[in-house]
Amino acid sequence: MTEGHILLADDNPDFRRAIEETILRPAGFQVHSVGDGLSALTLAKELRPDLVITDQNMPSLKGTELIRRLRQDLPALPAILITSDGSESLVAEALRAGAVDYLTKPFEAEQLLAAVGRAQAESRRWAELAQARSAAQTSAESLERRVQELEALARIGRTVTAMLEIDEVLTTVVDAAVRLTGAEEGSLLLLDEDSGQLYMRASKNFDESFASTFRLQVQDSLAGQVMETGEPVILDASSPQKIKTSYLVHSLIYVPLKVRGRTIGVLGVDNRTSGNELSHDDLPIVSALGDYAAIAIENAQLYHRSEAERKKLETVITQTENGVILVDPDNRLLFANQSACASFDITENALVGRSVVEVFDDPTLLALFRAPADQTLREEIELEDGRVLNAQRTPIEGVGQAVVMHDITHLRELDRIKSEFVTTVSHDLRSPLTAIMGYAELIERAGAIDDLQRGYLDRIKVSVEHITNLVSDLLDLGRIEAGLDAAREATPVSVLARYAVESLRGSAETRGLQLELSVAEALPMVVGSPIRLRQMIGNLVENAIKYTPVGGKVRVEVFGEGEQVILRVCDTGPGIPPGDQPYLFDKFYRGSNVGEDQPGTGLGLSIVKSIVDHHNGRIWVESKLGKGAIFTVVLPAEDGAA
């Protein structure tokens, strides 16, 4: 027997496992566990557990702050704080935050279970108080019979419209019609399109054999009259009918079932014996139930059609080799196909509705889901088996977010081989290029040359200089990708940004551009290579200057946000076509709207991306044609540095 649902939050997985498997589950508790405070806060709001047990020192959110925020959102949820720090100040802080109990590590199983018992008692007191308030409110309400009927009708309406099984819907409607009107019998007749007859689809207090074989011609019948006119019919006890109903009744109400202006059937209640008349007062109730039935029938039919299409689509997505994960706006799982589950070694069933932080452990994947929902992002995820997945997160309006993952392991290997080849060739090209440049300069010193020869030499020098720059970029990229720049130190990004901007200000003024710099005060430092970080900033600013037309503006912003330093380079250039943006950071790739006369190697942004990746950062671009581009770099700040 399950004693209750407990959410356990502790950053030590071994401690969580020990508490869960040796103490709580053997005691009959259902347990969910997480490793950080923010995940615990999210999961508590979603699962609404009976108790939260949290450690004090956790990433993202400390235990006392977690308890304080839980008390604000879920005041009836008890919480127990556990910690290695047994100071009186922490005890006081925990109690002020709203903890119902406090345990100091290490503790015995009996101590934890006793604290859980006290917390459950506190929870029961809250529940009893809520029940007492509910009982007091219920006893204070006194409604007249008609109001009670209308409320019952509303409840039935909500229930009926929520059902998708047609037989269950129609049976519920007929039962409600008989109960609310006090009739002896009820029936729901639908039109058979093939025969043109009405058949009894649902009934109350009719003989089953009679109901199953009942057929009624539309012509010369009360039900047929309702079908043809679309108006209800009422009979009282003074005019018993047999011919038009095929069975003797003393009072009867028939109402039409209409869908999109077309009558598809009839809902009826009747009394075969006298003394219990149906009246016009009962007509609104039966009419409302008829409307509910018509809506429910249409909903059920639409649902079955859409469900069939959904199953086809789900089969296609399930069988595809690409991993697909779909979540709602609260990051609860809606769908995960077999490939996605296999990639992250997920073998559990019933994943739908669970939070992604509870199902997946990969930090890169979780970061994709936690990123701002209005951005399309791409990340590479390295799996434990050595495979590499290219994951694209796409927001879907009205649904949530979808992550599609392609296996690019073979592409990474090809890229590695290509990079090694290019680096080797680039290194070997340096010596002959130096020799060519040297001999070209010696030709001018060896004797007089004419203007035509000097022009040829100038072209040789320009070409050799272009190839030399390309080789230097390739070697730079190779060093960065190989991780040879391993030295790291606390670096002020704001200072590097000022140096980069000032060094390029002359180039911007020459092109008639306005170059602006905005740096926030008291920015935290980042741990990295100052040379590479300055190179990264310089490449971004130089690119913005290169592609911004005369009279435009380039703006560089540096600011902090949480534990991150953000660099943003904005320009008023021609923008980047949407089809080019996913490939913008690939080697040698240049935008389709870049002119052939525009100098460049197509390696600048590849170098920027590699530098950002090797500093554990992220970079993306936002751009619309004709409205410029915004490059955003996010770098993790050094802990405690300001």
Side-chain angles (χ1 to χ4, degrees), residues 147-188:
V147 176
Q148 291 174 344
E149 289 180 352
L150 293 176
E151 287 186 346
L153 187 63
R155 288 195 300 271
I156 293 169
R158 289 193 297 269
T159 303
V160 166
T161 53
M163 294 179 182
L164 295 173
E165 290 297 330
I166 294 180
D167 289 331
E168 186 178 358
V169 169
L170 302 185
T171 300
T172 302
V173 168
V174 175
D175 287 347
V178 171
R179 184 174 68 255
L180 293 178
T181 61
E184 296 174 2
E185 297 171 335
S187 60
L188 194 145

Side-chain angles (χ1 to χ4, degrees), residues 19 36 162 169 186 309 312 326 328 392 401 447 465:
I19 293 295
D36 69 276
V169 169
E309 295 300 322
K312 291 180 184 178
L326 184 64
D328 66 11
Q392 176 176 335
Q401 305 177 71
E465 185 177 354

Side-chain angles (χ1 to χ4, degrees), residues 290-312:
D291 292 340
Y292 288 143
I295 294 170
I297 290 172
E298 184 181 25
N299 287 347
Q301 292 172 343
L302 290 173
Y303 169 77
H304 287 300
R305 287 197 293 268
S306 64
E307 184 68 8
E309 295 300 322
R310 186 193 66 80
K311 287 182 178 179
K312 291 180 184 178

Side-chain angles (χ1 to χ4, degrees), residues 281-501:
D281 292 338
D282 298 313
L283 181 59
I285 296 175
V286 182
S287 296
L289 288 172
D291 292 340
Y292 288 143
I295 294 170
I297 290 172
E298 184 181 25
N299 287 347
Q301 292 172 343
L302 290 173
Y303 169 77
H304 287 300
R305 287 197 293 268
S306 64
E307 184 68 8
E309 295 300 322
R310 186 193 66 80
K311 287 182 178 179
K312 291 180 184 178
L313 179 60
E314 184 176 340
T315 300
V316 172
I317 297 177
T318 300
Q319 299 300 324
T320 185
E321 293 185 1
N322 294 329
V324 179
I325 302 173
L326 184 64
V327 300
D328 66 11
D330 296 322
N331 282 342
R332 289 190 296 266
L333 275 175
L334 297 175
F335 176 80
N337 69 353
Q338 296 175 358
S339 178
C341 292
S343 297
F344 295 98
D345 196 23
I346 305 298
T347 57
E348 304 176 48
N349 297 321
L351 297 177
V352 175
R354 297 173 62 183
S355 173
V356 290
V357 300
E358 185 182 358
V359 177
F360 299 101
D361 294 327
D362 188 88
T364 305
L365 179 62
L366 294 178
L368 276 177
F369 286 116
R370 288 170 174 165
D374 58 345
Q375 300 173 0
T376 297
L377 301 178
R378 292 176 183 267
E379 293 287 353
E380 291 186 359
I381 300 176
E382 296 187 6
L383 303 178
E384 294 181 355
D385 58 6
R387 290 187 297 140
V388 180
L389 303 179
N390 179 25
Q392 176 176 335
R393 195 286 303 271
T394 305
I396 303 176
E397 186 175 358
V399 178
Q401 305 177 71
V403 171
V404 180
M405 295 167 287
H406 307 273
D407 192 334
I408 59 169
T409 308
H410 63 292
L411 297 178
R412 282 286 293 271
E413 181 62 19
L414 288 175
D415 187 63
R416 183 189 64 80
I417 295 171
K418 181 191 69 175
S419 297
E420 291 180 356
F421 172 76
V422 170
T423 301
T424 302
V425 172
S426 301
H427 188 273
D428 293 342
L429 281 175
R430 267 195 159 174
S431 296
L433 286 173
T434 303
I436 292 172
M437 182 64 79
Y439 284 119
E441 292 177 352
L442 288 175
I443 288 176
E444 295 183 83
R445 301 178 185 178
I449 58 175
D450 57 30
D451 292 340
L452 181 62
Q453 292 171 329
R454 181 172 289 102
Y456 291 154
L457 286 176
D458 290 341
R459 292 183 183 180
I460 291 174
K461 291 179 182 179
V462 170
S463 298
V464 170
E465 185 177 354
H466 177 75
I467 298 175
T468 302
N469 292 335
L470 177 61
V471 169
S472 298
D473 285 345
L474 287 171
L475 291 175
D476 261 358
L477 191 57
R479 286 180 57 85
I480 296 169
E481 291 180 342
L484 298 179
D485 297 327
R488 295 286 189 269
E489 61 183 80
T491 304
V493 176
S494 57
V495 174
L496 300 182
R498 288 191 179 94
Y499 287 160
V501 168

Side-chain angles (χ1 to χ4, degrees), residues 584-606:
L584 205 58
F585 299 102
D586 293 350
K587 299 181 184 70
F588 304 108
Y589 188 85
R590 305 190 74 191
S592 58
N593 60 341
V594 175
E596 295 182 359
D597 57 341
Q598 184 71 261
T601 62
L603 290 174
L605 290 179
S606 298

Side-chain angles (χ1 to χ4, degrees), residues 571 573-578 581 621-631:
D571 64 61
I576 303 166
Q581 294 179 22
V621 62
E622 302 168 72
S623 178
K624 292 183 179 179
L625 281 176
K627 296 186 178 180
I630 301 174
F631 285 85

